[in-house]
Amino acid sequence: MDITDLLGEVKSKIAERHLHYIMNPIQEKIQSLREELTKHNYNYYVLDNPTISDYDFDMKLKELQQLEAEHPEYHDPFSPTVRVGGMVTKNFETLVHEYRMYSLDNSYSREELEDWEKRVQRILGGTEVAFVCELKYDGASISLTYENGELARAVTRGDGFQGDDVTNNVKTIRSVPLKLKGDYPDKFHIRGEIIIPREGFAQMNQERIEAGEDPYMNPRNTASGSLKLQDNTEVAKRPLDCLLYSIVGEKLNFSTQFEGLEKARKWGFKVPPITRLCHSTQEVMDFIDYWDTHRHELPYETDGVVVKVNSLAQQDELGYTAKAPRWALAYKFKAEQVSTTLNSISYQVGRTGAITPVANLEPVLLAGTTVKRASLHNADQIAKLDVRVGDTVFVEKGGEIIPKIVGVDLSLRPSDSEPTDYIAHCPECGTELIRKEGEAQHYCPNYYACPPQITGRIQHYISRKAMDIEGLGGETVSLLYNEGLIKNYADLYLLQKEQVSPLERMADKSAENLINGIAKSKEIPYERVLYALGIRFVGETVAKKLAKAYPTVDALRAASLEELIAIDEIGVKIAESVVEFFADEDNIHIVERLKQYGVQMEIAPENLIGQTELLKGKTFVVSGVFESISRNELKKKIEDNGGKVASSISSKTTYVVAGDNMGPSKREKAEKLEIPIISEYDFMEMLNN
Ligand code: AMP
Ligand code: ZN
């Protein structure tokens, strides 16, 4: 530790003592909870090394929230409780950047990189130059201003001269320190990138798909979209992270970029450890080559490497061009790209009515797989690229699931080609499409009569996680619908074997299986029926929550918006969707019919026996083989008593219930994270107490 660090530490210790000295016990309790929670946030989100269970953390947070509510006189805008949201920004104020946020010049080859280095050397007149290599994080840039160690402002890049004040939203990002520690300068700005790590993004999309929504296209756009949400409670739910890479200001207490990064880490910022101080072009190239091949192993996306002159004095000397610093260069990794012919464009209609344009391509090999189709996203994208049928197009595989078209080879465009007219009517039902203000996607509003929306809803109803109807698949649903035998999922229960067996590819036996499968679905418990109804935003977990809060469908139907929002983890969007669903006469009629046919529309009384809230807030991972109980029974017991079952061990796990043959890697992970491993008998005892 150098002397300035030491001084900083001493100063903050004295300040702390002083505070405690004049505090009453309540204030002291609040203060100590804040300090403790801040420390745990830091351990978890910046160091990736939690030292407390999520459950204990939540308990402490709740305690602090309660105390703060009871004692508004001790309000603190930097309390860890602001992380959970509760603020709405109607209009984002425009703020001028004190220091302009520049762009970066790009390079794509070793030659370009060498040219840049020569230019730098020439301007600096042959003095020795060291370079810092960092990854180029692919997200939304942000400028954070700290005054006296407190986060004063967070502003988006905007046009580089001025951006939007998104402070309330950024405060919810756990890895952004609200207060700093150590020897920070009185005032400075720190720049970074707000990103969504791959895993969080995938999970977020999984939840959207389960709730019947379209998945987000890529993490970068989702991250920047998140910053502009009005309700920061929503922002708080998104898995955003903030990686910092540069400090600007007056009177900074360091003289190189590398030192600046190290300092920033000490003050509490998340600065990725993958940075390297290099003294030659070769070293720089080695770093680039290494990460070009290993970038897929990173938890977040990167599209290149940023090379910066290390010395701040040299940076000053080099200065800026109209758009970018002369002392930095972005080396962009190549995305794998091929060209092929666009044969046609088709338009898909999802279960929610969203239209997705799809490019049908001449098959081509890309990154190891044959590609026949690519996403065109939406009407704006098609217009922007001016993509036309018959064009030779460039196809790339980025972070997305299906490849995308990134450009057109105009030199190969046929002379008779015509601009693409985006469809104005639904390709399936002919209804005029609508596009909501601010949304990129077109929708078919014909909820009741658009075939893919109807069959989509029925297919969802019968799917494995919903009613799990054996003997009935997606194609059969289309067939039954096309034959006019079903128009909604309630109609399934009126099907007769005689109607079904004459259908194409339907043997007598399979018709019988189908009818039996449908009849058997009447035993499916209420919470799954609720999920099966296909109410927008009501995924499996939400359905369980709703069923628990409202054990009958009639009670749920009667619930008001306010009552629904009051349920733990039910937000406005979900609540609105539920209210909307039950405000519709046709939906009510269908639900009434299901009830009449014997489908479970309330929690069966026997299912309520043995249900408690004993394990509320606890997450279990079940592993191995058990003596006295089956794995499924064990899982059910956990859920019946208010606990959660997760499939893999993480810092969010409260207990691992282990039987025989628990995997060694699981055990190792649990031990590393210090998660208690208990036996089935310990678990039973936990319930009995
Ligand atoms: P571009 O958007 O292509 O002009 O690239 C410039 C942007 O790269 C900057 O505005 C930053 O937001 C972003 N960036 C990502 N990682 C870094 C990094 N390590 N150093 C500097 N800028 C970065
Ligand atoms: Zn339609």
Side-chain angles (χ1 to χ4, degrees):
M1 190 182 276
D2 67 29
I3 187 74
T4 36
D5 286 339
L6 203 61
L7 270 179
E9 201 114 303
V10 170
K11 259 197 277 177
S12 55
K13 279 270 145 54
I14 293 174
E16 240 167 62
R17 289 267 161 75
H18 185 64
L19 262 178
H20 283 293
Y21 177 67
I22 52 168
M23 280 193 297
N24 72 37
I26 299 274
Q27 199 181 0
E28 208 161 312
K29 179 77 200 167
I30 290 178
Q31 186 62 22
S32 87
L33 278 169
R34 283 177 183 159
E35 280 168 20
E36 206 182 335
L37 289 167
T38 300
K39 190 188 78 195
H40 288 306
N41 257 329
Y42 176 73
N43 288 343
Y44 189 137
Y45 292 101
V46 179
L47 300 183
D48 255 336
N49 184 20
T51 54
I52 183 177
S53 74
D54 277 23
Y55 177 75
D56 290 340
F57 183 90
D58 289 345
M59 283 298 130
K60 285 186 198 288
L61 186 65
K62 284 223 170 82
E63 190 183 356
L64 178 57
Q65 279 173 318
Q66 173 126 26
L67 284 172
E68 287 183 350
E70 285 163 6
H71 298 277
E73 66 273 27
Y74 302 133
H75 172 77
D76 177 355
F78 303 103
S79 166
T81 50
V82 307
R83 304 286 197 190
V84 299
M87 302 269 255
V88 172
T89 313
K90 277 266 174 294
N91 292 303
F92 294 96
E93 205 187 328
T94 308
L95 293 181
V96 174
H97 293 297
E98 247 172 85
Y99 294 81
R100 183 173 156 195
M101 288 181 83
Y102 284 89
S103 181
L104 286 172
D105 285 332
N106 290 325
S107 68
Y108 298 89
S109 66
R110 185 180 175 126
E111 291 69 47
E112 285 176 295
L113 181 77
E114 281 172 346
D115 284 348
W116 171 73
E117 287 194 21
K118 273 190 213 126
R119 242 180 357 256
V120 165
Q121 298 276 8
R122 201 174 52 235
I123 299 175
L124 295 178
T127 47
E128 204 169 303
V129 187
F131 299 96
V132 180
C133 290
E134 297 163 21
L135 292 174
K136 189 168 190 293
Y137 320 114
D138 200 9
S141 26
I142 193 83
S143 176
L144 310 174
T145 303
Y146 284 81
E147 288 171 1
N148 302 313
E150 292 172 344
L151 174 64
R153 277 178 299 289
V155 184
T156 62
R157 176 169 127 156
D159 62 3
F161 295 98
Q162 53 184 35
D164 292 321
D165 179 353
V166 290
T167 314
N168 285 338
N169 287 352
V170 169
K171 276 188 173 179
T172 67
I173 302 173
R174 272 43 166 204
S175 56
V176 172
L178 302 175
K179 286 188 180 196
L180 305 179
K181 37 188 196 177
D183 67 327
Y184 47 80
D186 293 342
K187 178 176 174 183
F188 66 94
H189 314 276
I190 184 162
R191 268 91 193 255
E193 204 80 359
I194 307 235
I195 56 138
I196 301 184
R198 284 184 226 275
E199 202 182 309
F201 185 70
Q203 195 176 337
M204 198 170 155
N205 266 346
Q206 184 58 37
E207 281 162 18
R208 282 181 72 85
I209 291 166
E210 275 172 17
E213 297 173 88
D214 295 314
Y216 290 115
M217 285 298 176
N218 69 54
R220 183 192 344 107
N221 294 353
T222 313
S224 71
S226 303
L227 288 182
K228 299 299 286 291
L229 291 173
Q230 295 191 330
D231 181 356
N232 77 343
T233 314
E234 277 307 307
V235 186
K237 288 188 193 145
R238 300 207 171 171
L240 299 166
D241 205 344
C242 182
L243 310 177
L244 286 314
Y245 52 72
S246 136
I247 301 168
V248 288
E250 307 290 322
K251 296 200 208 117
L252 300 175
N253 52 358
F254 53 90
S255 59
T256 66
Q257 165 69 6
F258 203 70
E259 244 184 288
L261 295 179
E262 277 178 340
K263 289 258 169 167
R265 270 185 210 113
K266 285 190 188 151
W267 302 335
F269 292 103
K270 187 161 186 172
V271 177
I274 301 171
T275 52
R276 187 157 140 196
L277 189 57
C278 300
H279 298 275
S280 69
T281 314
Q282 191 52 48
E283 272 182 83
V284 171
M285 271 323 291
D286 289 347
F287 183 90
I288 291 172
D289 288 342
Y290 182 85
W291 286 110
D292 195 358
T293 43
H294 289 83
R295 61 183 148 134
H296 305 290
E297 295 157 19
L298 293 165
Y300 44 79
E301 294 195 348
T302 168
D303 55 346
V305 166
V306 184
V307 189
K308 299 173 183 173
V309 169
N310 190 34
S311 149
L312 299 190
Q314 288 180 338
Q315 288 188 4
D316 257 356
E317 218 178 312
L318 288 158
Y320 298 82
T321 66
K323 132 177 191 291
R326 283 200 196 85
W327 46 263
L329 189 71
Y331 186 104
K332 291 278 194 96
F333 295 138
K334 277 185 213 64
E336 272 202 77
Q337 202 183 73
V338 288
S339 67
T340 186
T341 315
L342 173 62
N343 289 333
S344 64
I345 298 176
S346 47
Y347 297 86
Q348 291 178 343
V349 187
R351 136 166 103 88
T352 60
I355 308 289
T356 315
V358 177
N360 301 303
L361 306 167
E362 196 56 35
V364 63
L365 203 65
L366 172 64
T369 52
T370 303
V371 174
K372 297 192 199 90
R373 287 144 44 93
S375 171
L376 281 165
H377 299 330
N378 53 50
D380 290 346
Q381 183 69 7
I382 292 177
K384 195 173 128 209
L385 298 173
D386 184 23
V387 183
R388 306 176 181 192
V389 170
D391 272 345
T392 299
V393 293
F394 298 109
V395 186
E396 215 174 82
K397 219 166 195 164
E400 293 86 15
I401 309 142
I402 72 167
K404 61 180 176 187
I405 290 184
V406 292
V408 174
D409 188 342
L410 291 176
S411 68
L412 295 178
R413 174 167 282 175
S415 56
D416 60 348
S417 99
E418 304 234 358
T420 301
D421 265 336
Y422 201 82
I423 50 166
H425 296 89
C426 175
E428 303 282 347
C429 74
T431 305
E432 191 171 346
L433 300 181
I434 55 163
R435 190 174 178 181
K436 285 198 195 129
E437 177 95 18
E439 284 188 16
Q441 225 70 11
H442 284 72
Y443 277 87
C444 167
N446 190 10
Y447 179 89
Y448 293 107
C450 181
Q453 296 189 54
I454 297 171
T455 51
R457 283 194 295 269
I458 303 174
Q459 281 158 355
H460 171 75
Y461 183 83
I462 65 160
S463 64
R464 202 174 45 81
K465 287 177 174 175
M467 302 302 272
D468 193 17
I469 298 185
E470 245 174 87
L472 182 56
E475 279 178 31
T476 313
V477 166
S478 301
L479 195 62
L480 292 169
Y481 171 75
N482 291 338
E483 291 295 321
L485 293 174
I486 53 171
K487 285 196 294 296
N488 55 54
Y489 38 67
D491 291 343
L492 289 171
Y493 296 91
L494 297 180
L495 285 175
Q496 303 291 321
K497 193 178 142 194
E498 297 71 42
Q499 294 174 296
V500 181
S501 46
L503 295 181
E504 213 181 312
R505 276 181 291 149
M506 260 295 167
D508 229 29
K509 186 73 194 153
S510 33
E512 198 174 306
N513 286 346
L514 190 154
I515 302 293
N516 288 343
I518 292 171
K520 197 143 179 279
S521 74
K522 295 177 189 172
E523 292 162 22
I524 294 290
Y526 169 58
E527 64 263 25
R528 273 173 60 188
V529 177
L530 203 49
Y531 167 66
L533 294 180
I535 305 171
R536 216 167 161 205
F537 307 125
V538 178
E540 271 179 291
T541 330
V542 170
K544 275 188 196 162
K545 293 233 156 72
L546 290 174
K548 214 160 198 175
Y550 293 97
T552 74
V553 80
D554 291 333
L556 181 64
R557 186 178 136 188
S560 70
L561 190 67
E562 291 70 30
E563 286 167 332
L564 290 169
I565 294 171
I567 307 171
D568 193 26
E569 285 184 46
I570 302 294
V572 181
K573 215 169 56 168
I574 299 171
E576 273 174 359
S577 167
V578 172
V579 169
E580 204 177 297
F581 182 88
F582 286 110
D584 185 304
E585 284 300 321
D586 290 84
N587 286 338
I588 294 175
H589 184 60
I590 290 177
V591 168
E592 284 302 318
R593 280 177 59 202
L594 290 176
K595 205 195 297 178
Q596 188 194 325
Y597 301 146
V599 173
Q600 303 292 316
M601 284 300 177
E602 55 184 70
I603 293 190
E606 64 266 27
N607 285 349
L608 284 173
I609 299 171
Q611 295 224 359
T612 72
E613 297 276 271
L614 272 175
L615 305 178
K616 196 171 170 183
K618 297 194 168 72
T619 302
F620 293 78
V621 169
V622 174
S623 178
V625 185
F626 300 93
E627 275 173 28
S628 65
I629 189 170
S630 79
R631 269 166 81 102
N632 278 339
E633 281 164 350
L634 183 58
K635 286 184 182 172
K636 187 164 178 304
K637 267 216 152 47
I638 294 170
E639 284 178 346
D640 281 351
N641 289 287
K644 260 194 219 164
V645 180
S647 53
S648 67
I649 298 175
S650 75
S651 57
K652 294 203 160 69
T653 312
T654 323
Y655 291 105
V656 176
V657 190
D660 280 345
N661 297 331
M662 174 181 178
S665 68
K666 268 203 173 149
R667 182 172 293 277
E668 208 173 285
K669 186 147 187 205
E671 279 164 3
K672 191 170 154 243
L673 293 172
E674 292 183 15
I675 292 159
I677 302 176
I678 60 173
S679 72
E680 62 202 276
Y681 304 104
D682 298 333
F683 173 77
M684 301 299 178
E685 192 137 325
M686 198 184 277
L687 281 187
N688 290 335
N689 285 337

